[in-house]
Amino acid sequence: MSSKSLKNIIRLVEGASNSLPVEQSFVNDLSYTIECIDKKNKRIPSKTFKPSSIGSCKRNIYFQLTGAKQDEGRSSYTLIGICESGTDRHIRLQEAICSMKDFGIDCEFIDIADFVKYRNLTDIEIIEKSGIETKCYNKRYNISFLTDGIIRYCGKYYILEIKTEMAHKYYEHKNVRPEHIPQGVTYYLSFGIPDVLYLYENRDSLDKKAFHFVATEEAANDIISVINEVSNDVKNDIIPDKEENKHKCAYCKYTEVCGGL
Protein backbone atom coordinates (compact mmCIF):
# COMPACT_ATOMS: atom_id res chain seq x y z
CA MET A 1 0.00 0.00 0.00
CA SER A 2 1.40 3.44 -0.96
CA SER A 3 1.93 6.16 1.65
CA LYS A 4 -0.61 8.33 -0.20
CA SER A 5 -3.30 5.63 0.06
CA LEU A 6 -2.52 5.12 3.73
CA LYS A 7 -2.88 8.85 4.40
CA ASN A 8 -6.26 8.85 2.65
CA ILE A 9 -7.44 5.97 4.84
CA ILE A 10 -6.24 7.77 7.98
CA ARG A 11 -8.19 10.90 6.94
CA LEU A 12 -11.32 8.79 6.44
CA VAL A 13 -10.86 7.18 9.85
CA GLU A 14 -10.31 10.55 11.49
CA GLY A 15 -13.37 11.95 9.77
CA ALA A 16 -15.51 9.03 10.89
CA SER A 17 -14.16 9.28 14.43
CA ASN A 18 -15.13 12.94 14.67
CA SER A 19 -18.76 12.04 14.00
CA LEU A 20 -18.92 9.21 16.56
CA PRO A 21 -19.79 9.37 20.26
CA VAL A 22 -16.64 9.85 22.31
CA GLU A 23 -16.82 6.37 23.86
CA GLN A 24 -16.97 4.65 20.46
CA SER A 25 -14.29 6.92 19.04
CA PHE A 26 -12.04 6.00 21.99
CA VAL A 27 -12.51 2.26 21.46
CA ASN A 28 -11.85 2.59 17.73
CA ASP A 29 -8.68 4.59 18.34
CA LEU A 30 -7.47 2.13 20.96
CA SER A 31 -8.07 -0.85 18.66
CA TYR A 32 -6.30 0.93 15.81
CA THR A 33 -3.31 1.72 18.05
CA ILE A 34 -3.03 -1.92 19.20
CA GLU A 35 -2.91 -3.04 15.57
CA CYS A 36 -0.32 -0.37 14.68
CA ILE A 37 1.92 -1.42 17.59
CA ASP A 38 1.70 -5.04 16.47
CA LYS A 39 2.60 -4.13 12.89
CA LYS A 40 5.51 -1.96 14.07
CA ASN A 41 6.89 -4.76 16.26
CA LYS A 42 6.60 -7.54 13.69
CA ARG A 43 9.89 -9.23 12.94
CA ILE A 44 10.93 -10.93 9.74
CA PRO A 45 11.09 -14.67 10.53
CA SER A 46 14.51 -16.29 10.32
CA LYS A 47 15.19 -18.59 7.37
CA THR A 48 15.05 -21.71 9.53
CA PHE A 49 12.61 -24.54 10.20
CA LYS A 50 10.24 -23.98 13.13
CA PRO A 51 8.72 -26.80 15.24
CA SER A 52 5.37 -24.98 15.34
CA SER A 53 5.10 -24.90 11.52
CA ILE A 54 6.90 -28.10 10.55
CA GLY A 55 3.51 -29.78 10.13
CA SER A 56 2.16 -27.09 7.82
CA CYS A 57 2.20 -27.37 4.04
CA LYS A 58 5.61 -27.55 2.39
CA ARG A 59 4.92 -24.37 0.44
CA ASN A 60 4.52 -22.44 3.70
CA ILE A 61 7.86 -23.78 4.94
CA TYR A 62 9.51 -23.05 1.57
CA PHE A 63 8.34 -19.42 1.57
CA GLN A 64 9.61 -18.94 5.09
CA LEU A 65 13.01 -20.45 4.30
CA THR A 66 13.41 -18.28 1.20
CA GLY A 67 12.32 -15.07 2.94
CA ALA A 68 9.24 -14.56 0.77
CA LYS A 69 7.16 -11.47 1.42
CA GLN A 70 4.38 -12.05 3.92
CA ASP A 71 0.81 -10.82 3.42
CA GLU A 72 0.36 -7.11 4.02
CA GLY A 73 -2.82 -7.48 6.06
CA ARG A 74 -2.68 -6.21 9.64
CA SER A 75 -3.70 -8.63 12.40
CA SER A 76 -6.97 -7.71 14.09
CA TYR A 77 -6.76 -6.31 17.62
CA THR A 78 -8.82 -9.26 18.86
CA LEU A 79 -6.39 -11.84 17.47
CA ILE A 80 -3.47 -9.83 18.87
CA GLY A 81 -5.09 -9.86 22.31
CA ILE A 82 -5.76 -13.59 22.16
CA CYS A 83 -2.08 -14.23 21.36
CA GLU A 84 -0.96 -11.93 24.16
CA SER A 85 -3.31 -13.68 26.59
CA GLY A 86 -1.90 -17.05 25.54
CA THR A 87 1.65 -15.82 26.13
CA ASP A 88 0.70 -14.49 29.57
CA ARG A 89 -0.88 -17.82 30.53
CA HIS A 90 2.23 -19.70 29.36
CA ILE A 91 4.33 -17.64 31.76
CA ARG A 92 1.90 -18.13 34.67
CA LEU A 93 1.77 -21.88 34.12
CA GLN A 94 5.53 -22.17 33.77
CA GLU A 95 6.00 -20.26 37.04
CA ALA A 96 3.50 -22.54 38.80
CA ILE A 97 5.28 -25.65 37.49
CA CYS A 98 8.59 -24.25 38.75
CA SER A 99 7.01 -23.95 42.21
CA MET A 100 5.64 -27.51 42.39
CA LYS A 101 8.80 -28.74 44.10
CA ASP A 102 8.23 -26.20 46.89
CA PHE A 103 5.14 -28.14 47.91
CA GLY A 104 6.74 -31.56 48.04
CA ILE A 105 5.89 -32.57 44.46
CA ASP A 106 8.55 -34.49 42.54
CA CYS A 107 8.80 -32.04 39.67
CA GLU A 108 11.71 -29.90 38.56
CA PHE A 109 11.94 -27.35 35.76
CA ILE A 110 15.20 -28.09 33.95
CA ASP A 111 17.56 -25.38 32.73
CA ILE A 112 17.89 -26.17 29.03
CA ALA A 113 21.44 -24.83 28.71
CA ASP A 114 22.51 -27.15 31.54
CA PHE A 115 20.65 -30.07 29.94
CA VAL A 116 22.33 -29.48 26.57
CA LYS A 117 25.72 -29.46 28.27
CA TYR A 118 24.89 -32.50 30.44
CA ARG A 119 23.74 -34.56 27.45
CA ASN A 120 26.58 -33.23 25.26
CA LEU A 121 24.15 -32.19 22.55
CA THR A 122 26.71 -30.69 20.19
CA ASP A 123 24.14 -29.89 17.50
CA ILE A 124 22.24 -27.54 19.82
CA GLU A 125 23.34 -23.93 20.15
CA ILE A 126 21.89 -21.76 22.94
CA ILE A 127 20.89 -18.42 21.40
CA GLU A 128 19.42 -16.57 24.37
CA LYS A 129 17.39 -16.97 27.54
CA SER A 130 14.13 -15.09 28.02
CA GLY A 131 12.75 -15.64 31.51
CA ILE A 132 12.06 -19.34 31.89
CA GLU A 133 12.29 -20.06 28.17
CA THR A 134 15.48 -20.62 26.16
CA LYS A 135 15.86 -19.97 22.46
CA CYS A 136 17.85 -22.72 20.72
CA TYR A 137 19.18 -23.50 17.27
CA ASN A 138 19.68 -27.01 15.91
CA LYS A 139 22.65 -26.70 13.56
CA ARG A 140 22.21 -30.15 12.07
CA TYR A 141 18.65 -29.63 10.86
CA ASN A 142 18.52 -25.81 10.65
CA ILE A 143 15.75 -25.57 13.26
CA SER A 144 15.30 -22.58 15.56
CA PHE A 145 12.89 -22.85 18.46
CA LEU A 146 11.78 -21.55 21.85
CA THR A 147 10.52 -24.44 23.96
CA ASP A 148 8.01 -24.17 26.78
CA GLY A 149 10.43 -26.23 28.82
CA ILE A 150 11.92 -29.53 29.88
CA ILE A 151 10.75 -30.95 33.20
CA ARG A 152 11.77 -33.92 35.30
CA TYR A 153 8.55 -35.29 36.77
CA CYS A 154 8.56 -38.33 39.08
CA GLY A 155 12.13 -39.08 38.03
CA LYS A 156 11.58 -38.91 34.26
CA TYR A 157 12.35 -36.23 31.67
CA TYR A 158 9.53 -34.76 29.59
CA ILE A 159 9.26 -32.08 26.94
CA LEU A 160 6.59 -29.64 28.08
CA GLU A 161 4.32 -28.12 25.44
CA ILE A 162 1.60 -25.70 26.58
CA LYS A 163 -1.44 -24.91 24.43
CA THR A 164 -4.32 -22.54 25.18
CA GLU A 165 -7.60 -23.09 23.35
CA MET A 166 -11.09 -21.68 22.99
CA ALA A 167 -13.72 -23.66 24.88
CA HIS A 168 -15.27 -25.45 21.91
CA LYS A 169 -11.85 -26.67 20.75
CA TYR A 170 -10.82 -27.63 24.26
CA TYR A 171 -13.80 -29.94 24.78
CA GLU A 172 -13.85 -31.54 21.33
CA HIS A 173 -10.62 -33.54 21.60
CA LYS A 174 -9.64 -36.29 24.02
CA ASN A 175 -6.05 -36.70 22.89
CA VAL A 176 -3.22 -34.62 21.49
CA ARG A 177 -4.37 -32.64 18.49
CA PRO A 178 -2.82 -34.24 15.36
CA GLU A 179 -1.50 -30.87 14.16
CA HIS A 180 0.48 -30.48 17.40
CA ILE A 181 2.28 -33.84 17.18
CA PRO A 182 4.99 -32.77 14.66
CA GLN A 183 6.06 -30.05 17.07
CA GLY A 184 6.73 -32.55 19.86
CA VAL A 185 8.53 -34.90 17.47
CA THR A 186 10.76 -32.03 16.33
CA TYR A 187 11.78 -31.35 19.94
CA TYR A 188 12.59 -35.06 20.26
CA LEU A 189 14.96 -34.66 17.29
CA SER A 190 16.80 -31.92 19.14
CA PHE A 191 16.83 -33.11 22.76
CA GLY A 192 16.51 -36.88 22.44
CA ILE A 193 13.55 -36.91 24.85
CA PRO A 194 10.73 -39.00 23.36
CA ASP A 195 8.21 -38.25 26.11
CA VAL A 196 6.14 -35.12 25.56
CA LEU A 197 3.54 -33.70 27.96
CA TYR A 198 0.99 -31.57 26.14
CA LEU A 199 -0.77 -29.31 28.62
CA TYR A 200 -3.99 -27.77 27.28
CA GLU A 201 -5.82 -24.92 28.99
CA ASN A 202 -9.34 -23.67 28.30
CA ARG A 203 -9.12 -19.91 27.71
CA ASP A 204 -12.63 -19.34 29.05
CA SER A 205 -12.72 -21.45 32.24
CA LEU A 206 -8.95 -22.09 32.71
CA ASP A 207 -9.70 -25.82 33.05
CA LYS A 208 -6.71 -27.97 32.21
CA LYS A 209 -5.99 -31.38 30.75
CA ALA A 210 -2.75 -33.07 29.72
CA PHE A 211 -1.78 -35.86 27.34
CA HIS A 212 1.37 -37.95 27.33
CA PHE A 213 2.76 -38.54 23.84
CA VAL A 214 5.78 -40.71 23.02
CA ALA A 215 7.67 -39.81 19.85
CA THR A 216 8.97 -42.68 17.73
CA GLU A 217 11.94 -43.04 15.41
CA GLU A 218 9.50 -43.49 12.53
CA ALA A 219 7.83 -40.16 13.31
CA ALA A 220 11.24 -38.51 13.65
CA ASN A 221 12.28 -39.86 10.25
CA ASP A 222 9.11 -38.39 8.73
CA ILE A 223 10.12 -34.96 10.04
CA ILE A 224 13.65 -35.42 8.72
CA SER A 225 12.18 -36.33 5.32
CA VAL A 226 10.20 -33.07 5.26
CA ILE A 227 13.30 -31.09 6.23
CA ASN A 228 15.42 -32.76 3.54
CA GLU A 229 12.74 -32.41 0.86
CA VAL A 230 12.08 -28.72 1.44
CA SER A 231 15.79 -27.98 1.88
CA ASN A 232 16.44 -29.56 -1.54
CA ASP A 233 13.57 -27.55 -3.04
CA VAL A 234 15.13 -24.35 -1.71
CA LYS A 235 18.56 -25.36 -3.00
CA ASN A 236 17.20 -26.16 -6.47
CA ASP A 237 14.75 -23.22 -6.54
CA ILE A 238 11.74 -25.54 -6.91
CA ILE A 239 8.47 -24.38 -5.33
CA PRO A 240 6.58 -27.33 -3.76
CA ASP A 241 3.16 -28.22 -5.14
CA LYS A 242 0.07 -26.83 -3.49
CA GLU A 243 -1.63 -29.11 -0.99
CA GLU A 244 -5.29 -30.03 -1.24
CA ASN A 245 -5.85 -29.64 2.51
CA LYS A 246 -7.09 -26.05 2.60
CA HIS A 247 -7.39 -26.20 6.41
CA LYS A 248 -3.67 -25.47 6.52
CA CYS A 249 -4.30 -22.21 4.64
CA ALA A 250 -6.40 -20.70 7.43
CA TYR A 251 -3.60 -18.88 9.25
CA CYS A 252 -0.97 -18.88 6.51
CA LYS A 253 0.93 -15.61 6.07
CA TYR A 254 1.90 -16.32 2.48
CA THR A 255 -1.50 -16.57 0.77
CA GLU A 256 -0.78 -13.70 -1.62
CA VAL A 257 2.53 -14.97 -2.94
CA CYS A 258 1.18 -18.55 -2.99
CA GLY A 259 -1.96 -17.58 -4.90
CA GLY A 260 0.11 -15.86 -7.57
CA LEU A 261 2.10 -18.99 -8.40
Side-chain angles (χ1 to χ4, degrees), residues 181-247:
I181 289 177
Q183 188 171 359
V185 176
T186 307
Y187 291 141
Y188 166 50
L189 271 179
S190 292
F191 294 123
I193 301 175
D195 296 275
V196 186
L197 273 179
Y198 289 87
L199 175 62
Y200 290 87
E201 183 176 77
N202 184 333
R203 287 178 186 153
D204 299 324
S205 66
L206 301 186
D207 286 337
K208 299 164 186 60
K209 59 186 177 182
F211 302 107
H212 176 203
F213 172 81
V214 181
T216 64
E217 284 296 321
E218 181 181 1
N221 287 332
D222 287 341
I223 296 296
I224 293 172
S225 294
V226 171
I227 291 173
N228 289 338
E229 182 179 340
V230 180
S231 295
N232 285 330
D233 286 341
V234 171
K235 181 180 178 180
N236 297 310
D237 197 23
I238 299 173
I239 300 175
D241 293 333
K242 291 184 178 181
E243 293 192 13
E244 295 183 2
N245 183 1
K246 297 304 179 183
H247 175 72

Side-chain angles (χ1 to χ4, degrees), residues 5-261:
S5 299
L6 181 60
K7 289 179 181 178
N8 289 336
I9 292 175
I10 292 174
R11 291 194 189 98
L12 290 173
V13 171
E14 290 175 344
S17 297
N18 292 334
S19 62
L20 291 173
V22 63
E23 61 271 23
Q24 187 59 56
S25 176
F26 175 76
V27 169
N28 288 353
D29 287 341
L30 174 60
S31 302
Y32 173 73
T33 300
I34 291 171
E35 293 173 356
C36 286
I37 292 172
D38 179 74
K39 184 176 182 179
K40 180 181 178 181
N41 293 336
K42 278 191 181 302
R43 296 183 298 176
I44 298 175
S46 61
K47 297 178 181 180
T48 59
F49 291 92
K50 308 292 191 300
S52 58
S53 61
I54 200 74
S56 61
C57 82
K58 295 182 180 67
R59 270 199 170 203
N60 177 285
I61 303 171
Y62 175 91
F63 291 139
Q64 181 174 286
L65 290 175
T66 55
K69 185 179 179 181
Q70 294 185 335
D71 295 351
E72 288 286 352
R74 182 189 288 121
S75 297
S76 69
Y77 68 92
T78 52
L79 180 58
I80 294 167
I82 289 172
C83 292
E84 290 174 339
S85 176
T87 299
D88 292 341
R89 288 305 302 159
H90 272 63
I91 295 171
R92 293 283 187 178
L93 291 167
Q94 288 166 325
E95 290 175 343
I97 293 168
C98 284
S99 298
M100 288 170 68
K101 65 181 187 301
D102 299 334
F103 298 94
I105 298 171
D106 186 8
C107 185
E108 180 184 3
F109 216 98
I110 303 300
D111 183 279
I112 290 179
D114 290 343
F115 181 84
V116 168
K117 185 177 181 180
Y118 168 68
R119 287 285 184 93
N120 193 28
L121 303 176
T122 56
D123 287 333
I124 307 302
E125 180 181 345
I126 303 300
I127 304 301
E128 65 177 349
K129 295 189 69 173
S130 178
I132 296 173
E133 296 181 329
T134 303
K135 186 173 183 179
C136 304
Y137 176 65
N138 186 317
K139 294 178 285 187
R140 181 178 183 183
Y141 295 113
N142 188 29
I143 306 170
S144 61
F145 55 95
L146 192 68
T147 65
D148 290 333
I150 295 175
I151 62 173
R152 185 165 52 221
Y153 181 61
C154 296
K156 189 172 184 178
Y157 286 110
Y158 296 89
I159 296 292
L160 176 67
E161 182 57 33
I162 301 172
K163 301 292 185 185
T164 59
E165 301 181 310
M166 292 180 288
H168 73 277
K169 285 191 173 183
Y170 177 85
Y171 290 116
E172 74 180 10
H173 68 105
K174 301 186 183 302
N175 209 325
V176 182
R177 283 191 171 277
E179 61 267 30
H180 296 157
I181 289 177
Q183 188 171 359
V185 176
T186 307
Y187 291 141
Y188 166 50
L189 271 179
S190 292
F191 294 123
I193 301 175
D195 296 275
V196 186
L197 273 179
Y198 289 87
L199 175 62
Y200 290 87
E201 183 176 77
N202 184 333
R203 287 178 186 153
D204 299 324
S205 66
L206 301 186
D207 286 337
K208 299 164 186 60
K209 59 186 177 182
F211 302 107
H212 176 203
F213 172 81
V214 181
T216 64
E217 284 296 321
E218 181 181 1
N221 287 332
D222 287 341
I223 296 296
I224 293 172
S225 294
V226 171
I227 291 173
N228 289 338
E229 182 179 340
V230 180
S231 295
N232 285 330
D233 286 341
V234 171
K235 181 180 178 180
N236 297 310
D237 197 23
I238 299 173
I239 300 175
D241 293 333
K242 291 184 178 181
E243 293 192 13
E244 295 183 2
N245 183 1
K246 297 304 179 183
H247 175 72
K248 294 183 178 181
C249 301
Y251 299 103
C252 181
K253 298 179 180 179
Y254 299 100
T255 57
E256 293 181 6
V257 64
C258 181
L261 296 172

